[in-house]
């Protein structure tokens, strides 16, 4: 079975991976190699517990650009 894996880096420098098709299936690690090993194990365990039914389908990833604005402040008078 093939699954999509989304990989991000958190504020502490850890790599975090999750599988959008399998809600709650995620892990983290210091290196990408370790992360990939861990996410494969997480998927196997997920499928053992939940069964082979896929919960969703990742259609794609889109990147958008949005201009940042300064936060609004309220002033008390």
């Amino acid at each position: 079975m093939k699954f999509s894996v989304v990989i991000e880096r958190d504020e502490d420098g850890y790599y975090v991976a999750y599988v959008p098709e399998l809600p709650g299936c995620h892990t983290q690690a210091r290196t990408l190699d370790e992360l990939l090993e861990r996410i494969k194990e997480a998927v196997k365990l997920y499928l053992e517990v939940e069964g082979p039914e896929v919960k969703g389908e990742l259609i794609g990833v889109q990147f958008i650009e949005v201009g940042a604005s300064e936060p609004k402040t309220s002033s008390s008078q």
Side-chain angles (χ1 to χ4, degrees):
M1 297 179 80
K2 286 186 178 183
F3 294 97
S4 306
V5 177
V6 177
I7 300 172
E8 301 173 335
R9 187 177 295 166
D10 71 10
E11 63 275 357
D12 296 324
Y14 280 88
Y15 292 102
V16 179
Y18 66 93
V19 180
E21 298 95 333
L22 306 175
C25 185
H26 58 279
T27 191
Q28 67 178 21
R30 280 272 185 211
T31 68
L32 286 173
D33 288 339
E34 185 179 19
L35 184 72
L36 293 177
E37 288 178 32
R38 288 183 177 186
I39 197 64
K40 286 178 185 178
E41 183 64 25
V43 168
K44 289 177 186 176
L45 292 171
Y46 184 100
L47 296 174
E48 283 180 18
V49 172
E50 298 294 329
E53 295 296 318
V54 175
K55 308 298 184 205
E57 178 184 4
L58 180 67
I59 300 301
V61 175
Q62 293 291 317
F63 293 93
I64 63 169
E65 191 171 323
V66 178
S69 61
E70 294 187 29
K72 294 182 181 182
T73 59
S74 61
S75 57
S76 302
Q77 292 183 4

